[in-house]
Amino acid sequence: MLRRLIYLGLLCALPAPGQVGSAAVYTEFEHAPPAAVMQALQTEVDFLFAPNGLHLVWRSLPSDGGTTWPDLAVVRFSGRCEVLPFDPNPSYDHNLGFTHVTDGRVEPFAEVDCDAIRGYTFKALMEVFPQSRENVFGRAAGRVTAHELLHVFARTAEHGRQAVDYKSLTVEALLTGRMDPDKPALRIVRANPAAVRSPGTGSPEAGEASYLHAGCAHCHGTGGEGTPQGPALRLSSHVWSAVMLVAKLMKGQDRMCQLARNLKIPSPSVSEDEVRDLAGFLNRINR
Ligand SMILES: [Zn+2]
């Protein structure tokens, strides 16, 4: 069964790259992974973020400096990110990955424990065709990475209701051929083929119009002050960026859309090119 799911997954095509904005992911490996693992890992993370308009730029550490990114994450991979050599009696840590939190503040640093992922999925990996194992393992490590990146980009330790965002991931969820990036019916950020990518946050005025038009005010209040239906949209230690807003929407969209249904109001929905303006608006009301 597992084998069949994995086989199907290998046939899936990738969606177009996202349009909301770019974030950099700096990777650092304790042991350099095989190319097939690295490829599968990146492809999976890109696949999980792209439907919400996020385009990731991958860089490896140490880096030569160059561009500075307003939204970035540093991910350190410990252990061996490869399938072989197999350990017949793996002992492993129960944390597959974690994100650093200092004084309640989520830092842009995550760690992914490849030995833990391998130990955890070992038995099931043995069931996979040998020629697909590295691919399947890389994809599993990609899902753990995507989970931590959501914490980093949304700057929160909270978990949401998207499959990859669950507090714990089952072996099956890690190895299955296709992890639903999210249910399209619940996606707040909608693809806009005409969206133009430009740096920085957008126009607060346009953002306010989108905010009101999309129905955000119904639950968060016209000035983002919060209502009994939704929390205040205030940040104490960060400024809003398009990337952060999308990551927060990815985490919260299931609850928001469910609540909208209960309240019998339309589901909130914004297009990819509105997100930047929304971030601009939220920064204006944060001041
Ligand atoms: Zn987590």
Side-chain angles (χ1 to χ4, degrees):
M1 188 58 183
L2 190 59
R3 197 174 278 184
R4 177 135 56 98
L5 284 173
I6 288 159
Y7 183 63
L8 287 176
L10 294 174
L11 302 176
C12 294
L14 284 179
Q19 299 288 327
V20 164
S22 301
V25 180
Y26 284 88
T27 56
E28 185 177 32
F29 287 87
E30 188 181 347
H31 299 283
V37 168
M38 191 59 190
Q39 173 76 45
L41 189 158
Q42 291 186 355
T43 301
E44 182 65 9
V45 177
D46 290 343
F47 169 73
L48 290 167
F49 281 97
N52 293 282
L54 283 190
H55 173 67
L56 302 181
V57 179
W58 295 84
R59 294 274 184 272
S60 49
L61 286 174
S63 113
D64 52 2
T67 331
T68 45
W69 297 86
D71 292 280
L72 68 80
V74 176
V75 187
R76 190 175 177 280
F77 294 84
S78 62
R80 293 197 172 270
C81 299
E82 56 195 326
V83 177
L84 297 172
F86 265 139
D87 179 352
N89 293 307
S91 69
Y92 54 89
D93 197 87
H94 286 282
N95 283 323
L96 304 179
F98 69 94
T99 295
H100 289 261
V101 180
T102 311
D103 296 334
R105 208 183 131 118
V106 176
E107 308 278 0
F109 305 112
E111 310 226 356
V112 171
D113 186 339
C114 283
D115 285 346
I117 299 170
R118 187 163 51 148
Y120 183 51
T121 58
F122 170 77
K123 280 211 190 80
L125 262 182
M126 293 293 274
E127 303 284 310
V128 175
F129 296 122
Q131 62 269 36
S132 305
R133 276 183 199 146
E134 285 199 329
N135 196 306
V136 170
F137 177 79
R139 200 170 52 194
R143 288 172 186 164
V144 176
T145 307
H147 177 103
E148 300 307 331
L149 287 177
L150 266 176
H151 284 308
V152 168
F153 293 142
R155 294 300 175 109
T156 175
E158 305 272 312
H159 293 103
R161 293 198 204 158
Q162 310 294 323
V164 78
D165 199 22
Y166 289 161
K167 192 161 187 274
S168 37
L169 296 172
T170 61
V171 171
E172 210 204 337
L174 285 174
L175 298 192
T176 188
R178 191 175 208 267
M179 179 178 252
D180 211 358
D182 53 37
K183 297 167 217 125
L186 293 180
R187 204 176 296 147
I188 291 184
V189 181
R190 283 173 200 274
N192 176 0
V196 182
R197 226 182 283 169
S198 59
T201 44
S203 141
E205 291 70 34
E208 180 166 22
S210 302
Y211 181 87
L212 297 173
H213 183 249
C216 317
H218 191 101
C219 299
H220 295 289
T222 49
E225 68 280 6
T227 74
Q229 275 77 45
L233 298 179
R234 295 278 149 90
L235 298 175
S236 49
S237 53
H238 290 288
V239 292
W240 291 95
S241 72
V243 171
M244 181 197 274
L245 179 56
V246 169
K248 282 184 180 294
L249 291 174
M250 284 174 76
K251 280 185 168 285
Q253 59 194 348
D254 194 276
R255 289 193 188 105
M256 288 190 239
C257 294
Q258 177 75 52
L259 183 58
R261 268 198 303 278
N262 295 349
L263 296 170
K264 300 199 164 45
I265 58 171
S267 274
S269 167
V270 291
S271 66
E272 286 177 0
D273 63 350
E274 288 177 293
V275 172
R276 201 178 302 278
D277 294 332
L278 275 171
F281 169 63
L282 292 175
N283 277 322
R284 193 183 73 194
I285 62 178
N286 249 267
R287 268 193 258 122

